[in-house]
Amino acid sequence: MATVNGQTETAQGNINSAKQPLPPAKSVDSQSVLRRLQSELMALMMSGESGISAFPEEDNIFHWKGTITGSKDTVFEGTEYKLSLSFPNDYPFKPPKVKFETTCFHPNVDLHGNICLDILQDKWSSAYDVRTILLSIQSLLGEPNNSSPLNPQAAQLWSNQEEYRKMVEKLYKPSSA
Amino acid sequence: MAMEESTSLLCNLGVLDTLTDSSLQEIADSYNGFCAATQTLLTGAGDLSVGPEFAAHVRGLCKNGLVSLVRDHFLQVIEETFERNGASKFWGRFDAYSNFADLKKDNDVDFVQRKNSFKALTYSTYNWSQTVQAVPLQFLHALLVYLGDSVSYESTSSGLKSPLAARPSACCPGIDAPSEGLVRWKLRLEYFAYETLQDLRIAKLFEIIVDYPESSPAIEDLKLCLEYTGQHSKLVESFISALRYRLLTAGASTNDILHQYVSTIKALRTIDPAGVFLEAVGEPIRDYLRGRKDTIKCIVTMLTDGTSGNSSASGNPGDSLLEELNRDEEIQESIGADDDFNTDDRQAWINATRWQPDPVEADPLKGSRNQRKVDILGMIVGIIGSKDQLVNEYRTMLAEKLLNKSDYDIDSEIRTLELLKIQFGESSLQKCEIMLNDLIDSKRTNANIKATISAEVGENAISMDVVSATIISSNFWPPIQDEQVILPGPVDQLLSDYANRFHEIKTPRKLQWKKSLGTVKLELQFEDRAMQFTVAPVHASIIMQFQDQTSWTSKNLAAAIGVPVDVLNRRIHFWISKGVIAESPGADSSDHVYTLMENMVDTSKNGGSSGNPQELLGGDEEEERSVASVENQLRKEMTVYEKFILGMLTNFGSMTLERIHNTLKMFCIADSSYDKSLQQLQSFLSGLVSEEKLEHRDEMYFLKK
């Protein structure tokens, strides 16, 4: 257990150094961030929402793994996508970083899995939580915003749903885990 | 002679050349004579008169450098003789006793005789081994010394030590070092003796342990043998397979298994004070017990029921764990240090291989290590995994017991609790203590309320004296199964008066009645008889309704009492079985009619019981418990964890038991924080697997898709 904890700390250290270093005043708040994430987890678990799910990775509550299944009657039906969510230390004042881990052929998702979604950027509000983020991403799959595509090929193909479905199936690699 | 011999040893070939016909003849004669003498000496009935002749032959052979021939032949003959006579006699003794023991077991005769047979067996065995040591070995000694053999082998034989070699032999003084051959032979013989006895004891170990305190001489034997042969693993293997075959089966009751476990612990700690083999032997029992639902309940019953007379279980030795608690009271000094009996068993085996016995002088009672390692209660708690579960079960049982008490006499409970506190620590039993304090407080409050209220209510039909309340601090009690029931008007009035008075005395506290709990003593007066009962409030309410109206349909009655019809149908069976109420089919098939039996004519068979006080509690049905069982509580809590488990498996695909356990510990810390043991989680997960929510293969859990 001790060693695992050690890993966590270093992992967290990496995030901190990768992002802007936090002013010491905010570190007092980390307890409330923890509590907030804790209660979001509880709410998400108890909501029993089908099609979306997320859980903290290993023992670090700032890193979650998410799972979204493609909604019915969309080209993504029957697929399952893994996401990673990493929360900043000043969550929920800043949005979490959300990325697709599974390749997702989608106009608003680039080849590295980055997502272009307004609520994850400038439209973020602390009223959103993991559940709403996942729901938004799930609905984004079916209703892409083709005006600002990260994947122009996908945006072009979107109009031809049959071809698009084939493309999705071709590129879809279910996670082995 | 010594010189001659060494030459013959060194240059055997040279010696061959020097042989003449006459010397050959001499050798042959001597050899035949020697063989004959040996035969006479060893197989004869102790006739030593051929001694001088024998010595002459030996001397003659030695002169010709045939020392080794003499020795080998002699040893061989001894061995043959022994195998022919001694061994069969030896086994004959055992056969007699094992038959005897079997016979006894078949006929299930008392233990005392078996004890005697064990003792006799032990005695004869010791006797035999002494004989073996004394007779032929002495003889061998004498012979080989005579041959002067010891001189040439002295340097090599000093490396071989046998317990017998270390002992100077009384009958042949002046000999310092026996020959290598002799020592080897002695060792073989000794080992054979010990091993035979050990095998015998191991084969019967299960029975020996069943009879444990009576059979302790046999355990002592086994200890001695194992010290010599070191074949502990044989014991472990054989005993485990005996356990699997005879004890760990569906037919054995949990209580029996637990008793055998306790006896095993007691018996094996004699053999193995460090508890290493005990750990290995106990493992299958513990695993098996974990799979049984009533294990915890049985343990708690064993723990707590020591005080109330051992009438039922006189045959079982070491029955009451409470005694164990008592005994530990004196020795136990450090609590909390005993948390490590869950040590990994592989580790135990590693330790086993490195095991060093305590010095022989160390007092086995005082060695702190031993005390800590083989602590019976500790091992029992180890079955469950955590003491919290045990404490929880105890709390539920205690609640049940306390709620059914009509007096406030809790002396024995206090005693048990104090003993448990010593074992499990004060803090974990805090809630139980509060429960007992509630009872003590209730007694006072109850007296207080009755003293102050009686003056005010004169017009009430029922006097306050008949009510005694148990006032509980519900936060500290296990969840209580409350059922709605409408009590008869006057009683209800009485209870609310009581509650008001309580509120006046203890403002701002308020009393909330759990009307379905408790007991009611009542007397029913009929035209021809009177009957007394002690029943649950529901039963009392039911019978109360028949006071004014002697016939009810089940629907109406259920409405009057405020319980569902099916509950009513179940409860009213109590009165039907007592012959107080008769059931007849009503107009509607689902609606029964219940009629009060005013006189005993119809049910004359019950006439004998009329007027006798009935001490039967009105709730002997299984499901009728006032406290939610621990299992149900656990199941409720576990549904929260189920969602977490499904959540994490959705995102991580597959996880090991440990990882699920750790993850739950890490993240499930909201209002119902995760405090279960690995074993509890495992059984819960296997429940989910059988519900086809999860899959389990290669140590990993998966979501069932």
Side-chain angles (χ1 to χ4, degrees), chain A residues 1 5 38 41-42 45-48 52-61 65-67 80 82 177, chain B residues 639-640 643-644 646-654 659 662-663 665-672 705:
Chain A
M1 187 51 100
N5 269 341
Q38 203 71 253
L41 176 63
M42 183 57 84
M45 288 299 121
M46 299 315 284
S47 72
I52 59 160
S53 177
F55 207 86
E57 231 172 302
E58 292 293 324
D59 45 7
N60 184 0
I61 199 156
K65 264 212 182 303
T67 309
E80 190 181 85
K82 296 275 173 209
Chain B
T639 47
V640 177
K643 298 212 163 139
F644 269 79
L646 295 182
M648 64 181 88
L649 285 175
T650 311
N651 291 295
F652 299 126
S654 62
R659 196 171 154 202
N662 290 335
T663 313
K665 257 202 306 216
M666 185 81 60
F667 296 118
C668 195
I669 50 175
D671 28 69
S672 58
K705 297 238 165 102

Side-chain angles (χ1 to χ4, degrees), chain B residues 523-535:
Chain B
E523 188 181 297
L524 303 181
Q525 288 184 330
F526 300 93
E527 282 170 2
D528 59 343
R529 66 197 195 278
M531 295 170 94
Q532 286 182 340
F533 295 98
T534 304
V535 297

Side-chain angles (χ1 to χ4, degrees), chain A residues 21-36:
Chain A
L22 281 169
K26 285 222 173 170
S27 68
V28 185
D29 250 355
S30 73
Q31 207 54 42
S32 70
V33 181
L34 222 68
R35 259 206 306 278
R36 156 110 184 188

